Amino acid sequence: LYPRSMAAHRTYLGWLLLAGVALTIWQCGSASPRSLRSTQRVARPSTQLASIRSLSPVLKFQRLPRQHLGSQGNRGLYSVKSSQSEESAPKKKIFVAGASGQLGSRIVAELLSSGNQVVAAVRTPSKLQSILQEMSREGRFNGNTNNLETVQFDLEQDSESTIAQKISGCTAVVSAIGAPESAIFDTGAPARIDGEGAIKIVNAAKQAGSVKSFTMISALGTGSKMFTFPAGLLNLFWGILFQKKKAEDALIASGLDYTIIRPGGMERPQDDFKYTHNLEVYDADSLSGGVVSRRQVAELVAAAVENPELSKNSCFEVIAQTPEFAPNRTMVDALQAVIKVPGIQG
């Protein structure tokens, strides 16, 4: 898979540069799958939603400060806040791996904001605290940090048993780990992190004994679309989609209840992307391109973790599109309206 000679290495880097140009085009939205309008929505039983509403706390809506709304003004821009008091017991205890990353920190914020206790696995605990403080100042986080516990975590150095001890007592695990963009010239990073590292977390979660559900963040293009354009271009990053597929397969085989989420490109969309583009959830192996913001993915992860009956043992692909192509829905409603592309076996 990897170049063995210097000449081959230079050729491979040339392909990486071409891939960068193609990915830029993709991130600008030219590959948005708007042609997939002849699709079917997979309806989830309405009785499930009724049971969720009967068990969940009443939700209140809090208008975000105008200065943080960008060009969207104040048109219906809200954050969801639970009516539970800060002193009430957390809903779930959730272990988040990769908690200080760009996606992981947003997942932590969403889970805390909806009243959960979070065990955040990070290399540097102070980094996550700084991120949450900044998000709070900007009006993007209103959770209770008293429900946050940070644990020292080194994915490559910690053993499975060590990680299992840190997970022990948690009923759910979210894995938001991934080789960073800064590791573009580290040929072994995807195998160590997205492959072996992710599998290590799966095995540790099973060892812990308390885990009921596991949510893994993967990537669009993992699966049967691995060799399609533009999603398949990610594989030029030293076979990263192959490694992510290994991790997905290990999770499915683990016996744990699982949810796999494959987001589209998240590099360009900012947090306010959600105000102009609505999230859509597709069945596995439906899409080859599209974009979505990290904040939207974080909100979907929180909805899936809190409502496991809507996502149990499922693999989803998520993108965001403008309102003429994607209606505005809550994340729970999006999980109940999964789009199935005709001809795709899911």
Side-chain angles (χ1 to χ4, degrees):
L1 177 62
Y2 307 129
R4 299 297 183 183
S5 67
M6 184 59 70
H9 188 70
R10 285 196 295 269
T11 302
Y12 201 89
L13 291 180
W15 279 109
L16 283 176
L17 290 174
L18 289 175
V21 174
L23 284 171
T24 299
I25 295 172
W26 176 23
Q27 296 298 329
C28 288
S30 63
S32 183
R34 294 174 175 174
S35 60
L36 296 177
R37 292 299 98 197
S38 58
T39 56
Q40 303 170 1
R41 298 188 181 275
V42 181
R44 304 278 176 168
S46 58
T47 54
Q48 292 179 329
L49 183 57
S51 65
I52 295 165
R53 287 172 174 162
S54 66
L55 294 174
S56 299
V58 178
L59 294 178
K60 294 181 180 178
F61 292 90
Q62 180 182 37
R63 188 176 294 275
L64 294 176
R66 184 180 180 88
Q67 64 267 31
H68 301 305
L69 301 181
S71 61
Q72 292 304 302
N74 61 356
R75 287 187 298 153
L77 307 183
Y78 299 94
S79 63
V80 179
K81 184 176 182 179
S82 172
S83 65
Q84 286 181 311
S85 71
E86 290 189 353
E87 301 302 322
S88 61
K91 291 189 285 188
K92 288 188 174 184
K93 187 175 182 181
I94 304 163
F95 181 91
V96 180
S100 61
Q102 293 188 74
L103 176 58
S105 59
R106 287 168 171 81
I107 292 173
V108 169
E110 289 297 328
L111 292 172
L112 288 173
S113 294
S114 53
N116 295 287
Q117 181 178 355
V118 175
V119 177
V122 293
R123 281 179 181 267
T124 310
S126 59
K127 179 182 177 182
L128 177 59
Q129 294 288 354
S130 298
I131 293 171
L132 292 177
Q133 288 171 4
E134 181 181 354
M135 292 174 71
S136 181
R137 286 194 299 270
E138 295 175 351
R140 295 185 290 129
F141 171 58
N142 58 10
N144 182 4
T145 53
N146 291 333
N147 289 332
L148 175 64
E149 174 189 349
T150 55
V151 293
Q152 205 83 29
F153 178 76
D154 189 320
L155 180 61
E156 296 182 51
Q157 298 299 322
D158 289 352
S159 66
E160 284 182 8
S161 59
T162 299
I163 298 173
Q165 290 173 3
K166 296 173 182 179
I167 294 174
S168 181
C170 295
T171 56
V173 170
V174 176
S175 175
I177 57 97
E181 296 171 16
S182 59
I184 186 66
F185 297 111
D186 184 348
T187 61
R192 295 194 315 271
I193 299 171
D194 299 83
E196 297 161 10
I199 293 171
K200 186 190 292 187
I201 298 172
V202 171
N203 293 337
K206 191 170 181 180
Q207 247 183 74
S210 59
V211 176
K212 305 300 181 186
S213 65
F214 193 114
T215 301
M216 176 179 287
I217 315 303
S218 186
L220 201 66
T222 307
S224 66
K225 298 289 185 178
M226 194 176 295
F227 299 102
T228 60
F229 181 86
L233 289 172
L234 280 176
N235 246 345
L236 291 174
F237 182 21
W238 314 113
I240 191 168
L241 294 180
F242 288 107
Q243 300 301 332
K244 288 184 179 294
K245 187 63 170 67
K246 288 180 182 179
E248 286 186 6
D249 290 344
L251 176 56
I252 293 169
S254 70
L256 296 169
D257 289 348
Y258 68 86
T259 301
I260 297 169
I261 296 176
R262 298 172 177 171
M266 297 184 287
E267 288 74 19
R268 289 179 66 87
Q270 302 301 308
D271 282 355
D272 59 1
F273 194 71
K274 63 173 285 185
Y275 303 136
T276 57
H277 294 72
N278 298 323
L279 182 136
E280 286 196 311
V281 180
Y282 287 77
D283 250 357
D285 301 324
S286 297
L287 303 173
S288 297
V291 296
V292 65
S293 72
R294 293 183 176 92
R295 183 175 180 182
Q296 288 170 304
V297 175
E299 291 174 354
L300 184 69
V301 169
V305 171
E306 293 173 8
N307 304 288
E309 64 274 23
L310 297 181
S311 61
K312 178 180 176 181
N313 297 339
S314 299
C315 179
F316 302 127
E317 297 180 343
V318 296
I319 58 170
Q321 301 200 81
T322 51
E324 62 266 33
F325 295 100
N328 188 16
R329 294 188 179 91
T330 66
M331 293 301 166
V332 169
D333 287 342
L335 286 171
Q336 290 188 306
V338 178
I339 301 171
K340 184 174 179 63
V341 178
I344 301 293
Q345 300 299 316

